Amino acid sequence: MAHAAWRYARRNLSLVVGIVLLGLLALFVGIGHLVVDTSKSRPLSAPAIRPPSADHPFGTDRQGRDLLATMVAGTPLTLRIGFIAGFLGVGVGSILGFVSAYYRGAVDSVIRGIVDIGLTVPGLLVLIIIAVSLRKGLTVDQMALIVASLAWLNPARTVRAQVLSMRERGYVEVARLSGMSGPEIIVKELMPNLLPYLAATLVNAVSAAILASIGLEVLGLGPIDSPTLGMTLYWVNFNAALINGWWWWWLAPIVIILVVFLGLFFLTVGLDEIANPRLRRAI
Amino acid sequence: MRDLVVHYDTPLGAVKATDAVSFSLGAGERLGIAGESGSGKTTMALAILRLIKPPGRIAAGEIWLQDVDLMALSPEAMRQVRLARIALIPQGSMNSLNPVTRIKEQILDALRDHDVRISRRQGQERVRELLESVGLRPEVADMFPHELSGGMKQRVCIAIAISLRPRVIIADEPTSALDVVVQKQVMETLAKVQQDLRAAVILIGHDMGLMAQFVDRLGVMYAGKLVEISPVRDIFTGPLHPYTRMLIASLPSFEEKGTFRGIPGLLPLLRDLPPGCAFHPRCPHAFDRCQRDEPRPREIQPGSWASCHLL
Amino acid sequence: MTPLLEARRVTKIFGGGLFERASVLALENFSLAVDAERPLITAVVGESGSGKTTLARLLLGLTAPTRGDVLYQGRDLQSMSRADWRAFRRDVQVIFQDPYEVYNPFYRVDHVLTTPVAKFHLAPSRAGARALIEDVLRAVGLRPEETLGRFPHQLSGGQRQRVMVARALLLKPRLILADEPVSMVDASLRATILGSLRSINAERGISIVYITHDLATAYQISDRIIVLYRGAVAEAGDVELVVKQPRHPYTQLLLSSIPRASAERTWLTERTGASVGRQDGESAGCRFAVRCPSAMSRCREAPPPLFQTDRHRVVACYLHADAPAQPIEAP
Amino acid sequence: MRVDYLARRCGVFVLIVWIAATLNFFLPRLSGQDPVRTKLLQQAQLGGYVHSGIDAMVKDYDRRFGLDRPLWQQYLSYLRDAARLDFNYSIANYPRKVNELIAEAVPWTIGLLGTTTLLSFGLGTFLGALLAWPGAPRWMRYLMPPLWALHAIPFFLLGLVLIYLLAFQIQLMPMFGGYSAGAFPGLNVTFVWDVIRHAILPAMSIVLVATGGWALAMRGMMVTTQGEDYVTFAEAKGLRSLTIFVRYCLRNAILPQTTALALALGNILSGAVLVEVIFGYPGIGTVLFHAIRENDHFLIQGIVFTVIVALGLATLILDAIYPLLDPRINYRRT
């Protein structure tokens, strides 16, 4: 089994790169929680504006947070928002996509209308309106729900397109004539072919959700007192860390965010390769 | 064509799509190449025009057009040969024409790229003349491919093919996607334009009836090899190669009803061909020599060649 | 005796809904009765756009008729109970045209055989199921050890189509509907598959409706034939009569257009008429009038009924108006 | 035939405008109390630095959206105002109207967003097409991996890195704002050059990321197109490879690319807002950022409505152009 995995890995490099990047991130957070006292991520738990040193490897910020502790505590929170919003989005989106593509009719045109218009409206602005209206001490999970409220649009569109093309295939009709019922066909005939697409759409949704949540936080609409990556960037901007030359303050969150997005991006490309490999069949 | 060998490199190793195919074509002659799927007939056609794309490549063989060896030509020289001297009528599939440009542009761009200096008005005139010669109304010039029926699209392809008065026209299953009534009209159009140009035609396909009624000489391909090539009357009165004989026998005829004589066994996979003669697993007359060495094509009767140990 | 499956004056119109402007008349006033006691092979021949695939979907209950009804043992498909539908699915099976489309790439080919066995409880045990599957595979000339356990893309088009015939046999149906079963299969394998269809009909008494554009294979395999032109029956009856002495100008045109695989040269005529453009206009009378060499003014007024010119043949053409006209009912 | 295609597209546009207004009206009221009123009242009771205008605004607000008025009447008057693009006064910078603030910021955003989107779309499409063309120079193949990596990064992240490298360390470019503090706006060369210098970094952070995306998409489309039958027939016609590349491959591959542009406008804008915030660029993004900070609800709603409508218009224009590229459109029902 290992040999086959290795041979496949060589062919699908981007999948490997994606997994390695996210693996490193998981290691950093995992070990961090063992080694670092994450309570130091709260303000006034360390001397302010210290460049990286032995006792503060990532340095400290103006409000006296130890940046290493902030990163170790904040990264899982941002990822948590991404995963909750991503899973919710793909869950709701794929069900709507399935229903509208498989049962067609009025349901399909309504869902298609909402999705098409929804995708032309800039998501961030709608999220801003929502966040501004609820601005009384957001928690991380509320943030995830806000982002999830629009995260279902894209999955619905891609799943609907996939199911539409699959539904016309002959094997669906043969299954029906072999005595399979509607739901059975969805689970047994359509689902297995859809899984690789679903996986790629999920990773895309998580990535988009993280981007949206960081966007809101940078604008100051995030959970004010939690050490998420986006909020760190908000304080960086708020305190003009760039102009004051405190480079360590924004370097840490940016490197981690880069690793998150690059990892998710290569993962999506790898999963796409599984969903429709270019070399379908040898002669 | 002499000993043409085309390889397709696949992860499982090189596959011989055509293996040592040789034949000659006289001026104005109609040569048919019949074969089932995977027999290499389309590969051979594309090889003549040197349009084989990776992972395929022409491994060996020569292709002579009168006194010019096409293999030796530079890419630019070969480009000029295409359409001007050897034209292709594509498979009857529905998108051989550029979906977003009008018909007249698709005729004129071929003339322009072959450095035919004509004014706009002469161009329109030439387009109208070509469309008329294939039985299409002049208005078709300003239409888009999606506005034409299957038969009309094939007629446009014929018009393009004859626009530079080529010496050879290769028709690769030109009517396979058309209904039988429209097919007859299109083939009659092809016959007329061929006579006017006195051009040679290579008709590639799997419909033996079409071959019987259209071509002068017929070659039969099996698993990348030309197993028989003879005048079409001889092939249908007395086929030499067992595969040809069984292929003709399996055709549904209107004479005797209810006779189903299929060829047993399966079409061979090009990547693991049986040793010796590729047809021996399905051949009722196979004997030990057939499994050992590959038969060479020999002239059994004047003008009739076949490669089989029985003959 | 109520027929196993009957189409009575079925008409199907696509589109014409709120959005689509043009409505397309796919099939008009079509009748056919398949009676299980006399298992015959009926061929339905027509060019693309003649409505033959629509007919197949109507007979299988995959689409509903706009007018007229499709009856299974006297009961209208559109109002059948779940139990009736289960019986219908067992009794009426199908072979589709495209051997590449009917296999789910995720599963091995066995999936197509094991599903009906499980769904319709055709075998008491796994061993029983295995034996049943191997038996039907041999019946269509396939060796089980060479076929089972493989993925679809590892089998040739011909093998895959034969597995579909085996699948149809599993349920011991009383009618198999074959929609262009051999048009995508190579010539050498075509005869083998048609041969197995013929023997299934003869040995197992299964009626077959063979839908195709290829008049030659229709002649080889069928007992009676229906020629469709743009959704309407042009000629129908005993296959020897219709093919050897065609009465309808369209049938004659079809027969004369087929290039015969023989040494005599009869096909190419010097006449190369201009291409008839895309006929979109719906003519009121006979659909074939616009292309018919012997069209009369009468042909353009009203669509011709079916005239009974022989005991076993009807023709929808005014050239035979002297024969007794018949309400549109198959022989 | 084409008229009803356009009519339907305009219908969609009007629908988008209505949705934008409805979102603006209902979303804030989701949490029961009307946040705008509470903000106004809070400001009014603050006293101290509060300017006198607030009381006038509170009375005016109550007149139009008073609690005694039924919700649908409030909604109707809101729609009427939205139709006239009148979004009341800006709470934070009274007496200036929301429209004025938006009008000042819009040219900056259009300048930045318009140029970067067209630049990245054009450059990316051209680059993607070239990458798929066998005749392309060899070294271009090594352009792919960096384009790939850049494509994954959000705009504003690259912005931060660029500021640090090119503005802070090397002081090559201005770090902040739309023009130097002292300069007074006017159509003279120095000011225009000053604006361009300020716009370089924000523009780079968008173009470098977006170009990769368009190049990737176009390369994929070109590879598929090159496999089409009409390209094989074009080669058999002996056409020059440039003719095939432009009139057969590019001409067909550009169609899905244009559709993708229409779909991507929303995301591009969201990204650009953040870039403006990071660079303090005086466009819609920064105005929105300050409005959020000061809870200036009228300004926020004004900006959101204007942006959604602007994007709806851009999509409408793209939809109108599309049939010119693809003749099949006005034939086939969309």
Side-chain angles (χ1 to χ4, degrees), chain C residues 3 44-45 47 58 61 79 183 208 218 233 248 267 282 299 310:
Chain C
V44 177
V45 176
E47 292 179 321
L58 285 164
S79 55
S183 66
I208 294 180
V233 173
H248 193 287
W267 190 59
E282 286 310 317
C299 302
D310 312 74

Side-chain angles (χ1 to χ4, degrees), chain B:
Chain B
M1 177 181 292
R2 280 201 210 97
D3 297 331
L4 176 78
V5 176
V6 173
H7 280 188
Y8 271 86
D9 303 325
T10 66
L12 315 162
V15 160
K16 276 211 193 81
T18 62
D19 182 9
V21 174
S22 308
F23 68 83
S24 65
L25 176 70
E29 184 189 17
R30 291 188 193 157
L31 171 69
I33 302 288
E36 294 177 293
S37 44
S39 61
K41 53 188 191 305
T42 302
T43 312
M44 190 205 61
L46 291 178
I48 296 176
L49 285 160
R50 276 175 54 195
L51 285 174
I52 301 281
K53 288 196 194 133
R57 56 182 165 74
I58 299 176
E62 298 155 8
I63 299 176
W64 292 84
L65 178 64
Q66 282 155 333
D67 50 5
V68 171
D69 177 4
L70 297 182
M71 288 300 152
L73 290 180
S74 71
E76 178 55 19
M78 186 63 206
R79 183 185 72 79
Q80 263 142 29
V81 161
R82 293 192 194 110
L83 193 68
R85 299 175 58 91
I86 305 180
L88 172 77
I89 299 175
Q91 198 134 45
S93 73
M94 283 312 121
N95 61 13
S96 301
L97 294 171
N98 188 345
V100 288
T101 26
R102 294 180 195 279
I103 298 298
K104 62 173 185 264
E105 263 96 29
Q106 307 199 35
I107 296 177
L108 291 173
D109 63 15
L111 303 185
R112 265 196 302 275
D113 274 15
H114 282 276
D115 315 320
V116 172
R117 296 273 172 287
I118 46 172
S119 70
R120 237 180 58 76
R121 205 185 45 69
Q122 281 166 328
Q124 308 286 26
E125 184 49 30
R126 180 75 177 122
V127 167
R128 200 185 54 70
E129 196 187 289
L130 281 170
L131 289 180
E132 213 164 79
S133 69
V134 290
L136 286 172
R137 302 188 313 280
E139 306 80 51
V140 167
D142 298 316
M143 293 163 83
F144 288 99
H146 63 270
E147 296 168 296
L148 305 179
S149 71
M152 292 164 80
K153 274 190 239 184
Q154 274 315 82
R155 287 168 185 267
V156 166
C157 290
I158 294 175
I160 294 174
I162 62 170
S163 55
L164 293 170
R165 311 184 68 79
R167 299 305 306 140
V168 177
I169 299 176
I170 303 178
D172 180 7
E173 308 228 18
T175 56
S176 56
L178 300 178
D179 289 316
V180 67
V181 174
V182 174
Q183 162 176 280
K184 182 163 187 279
Q185 292 166 349
V186 169
M187 290 310 286
E188 281 167 350
T189 307
L190 180 57
K192 181 175 82 66
V193 297
Q194 187 231 350
Q195 255 131 29
D196 300 349
L197 286 173
R198 277 191 306 288
V201 167
I202 301 179
L203 177 63
I204 299 193
H206 59 272
D207 181 341
M208 293 296 270
L210 190 59
M211 295 296 176
Q213 298 297 329
F214 188 83
V215 301
D216 308 326
R217 219 154 46 94
L218 180 59
V220 177
M221 287 190 72
Y222 184 81
K225 299 179 182 58
L226 193 60
V227 294
E228 177 167 358
I229 181 161
S230 340
V232 74
R233 278 183 59 77
D234 303 348
I235 282 209
F236 281 95
T237 47
L240 300 170
H241 195 282
Y243 172 65
T244 319
R245 201 176 316 121
M246 293 173 83
L247 192 59
I248 294 175
S250 75
L251 298 173
S253 75
F254 287 99
E255 276 65 40
E256 7 139 35
K257 201 165 131 47
T259 54
F260 298 98
R261 290 186 297 273
I263 304 179
L266 304 171
L267 279 168
L269 283 181
L270 286 174
R271 58 172 183 274
D272 57 4
L273 286 176
C277 165
F279 187 59
H280 85 261
R282 306 173 74 186
C283 179
H285 317 296
F287 54 97
D288 53 12
R289 205 171 148 225
C290 300
Q291 280 130 24
R292 274 202 324 283
D293 42 30
E294 211 182 304
R296 303 296 311 151
R298 280 180 299 102
E299 187 160 18
I300 315 298
Q301 292 148 4
S304 300
W305 296 69
S307 41
C308 173
H309 297 309
L310 281 173
L311 305 168

Side-chain angles (χ1 to χ4, degrees), chain D residues 279-331:
Chain D
F279 282 93
Y281 194 76
I284 289 276
T286 309
V287 173
L288 182 62
F289 177 59
H290 295 311
I292 293 170
R293 245 227 209 110
E294 285 136 14
N295 280 315
D296 187 339
H297 277 280
F298 290 143
L299 186 51
I300 294 172
Q301 287 172 0
I303 290 176
V304 169
F305 181 81
T306 321
V307 165
I308 292 179
V309 165
L311 277 180
L313 205 61
T315 317
L316 181 63
I317 292 166
L318 275 175
D319 282 345
I321 292 170
Y322 193 76
L324 304 179
L325 296 173
D326 184 349
R328 291 166 290 191
I329 273 297
N330 45 26
Y331 182 79

Side-chain angles (χ1 to χ4, degrees), chain D residues 214-294:
Chain D
W214 296 118
L216 271 171
M218 189 61 180
R219 182 181 163 282
M221 264 326 294
M222 286 296 284
V223 167
T224 341
T225 320
Q226 277 164 353
E228 294 282 359
D229 293 340
Y230 51 80
V231 169
T232 316
F233 184 47
E235 282 158 3
K237 276 161 67 173
L239 298 181
R240 290 193 176 79
S241 74
L242 190 66
T243 318
I244 296 177
F245 176 67
V246 173
R247 288 174 56 80
Y248 284 76
C249 294
L250 200 66
R251 190 63 183 66
N252 280 283
I254 203 79
L255 302 179
Q257 191 81 344
T258 322
T259 331
L261 177 62
L263 279 176
L265 288 180
N267 294 347
I268 293 176
L269 184 101
S270 305
V273 161
L274 297 176
V275 165
E276 286 186 5
V277 166
I278 295 291
F279 282 93
Y281 194 76
I284 289 276
T286 309
V287 173
L288 182 62
F289 177 59
H290 295 311
I292 293 170
R293 245 227 209 110
E294 285 136 14

Side-chain angles (χ1 to χ4, degrees), chain A residues 168-181 184 187-190 192-193 280-281, chain C residues 57 60 62 89 93-94 96 100-107 111 115-116 119-120 153 164 167:
Chain A
E168 304 305 322
R169 302 295 295 273
Y171 56 78
V172 169
E173 232 144 77
V174 168
R176 189 176 305 141
L177 295 175
S178 297
M180 273 189 176
S181 64
E184 228 173 336
V187 171
K188 281 226 182 95
E189 299 289 334
L190 296 182
N193 292 315
R280 240 285 176 246
R281 270 201 303 266
Chain C
R57 294 181 63 80
L60 287 167
L62 295 174
R89 285 283 174 248
Q93 267 307 322
V94 74
F96 284 109
Y100 298 94
E101 274 278 303
V102 284
Y103 289 91
N104 188 332
F106 186 78
Y107 296 103
H111 172 73
T115 309
K119 283 290 144 195
F120 290 98
H153 64 268
M164 286 310 282
R167 176 197 159 287

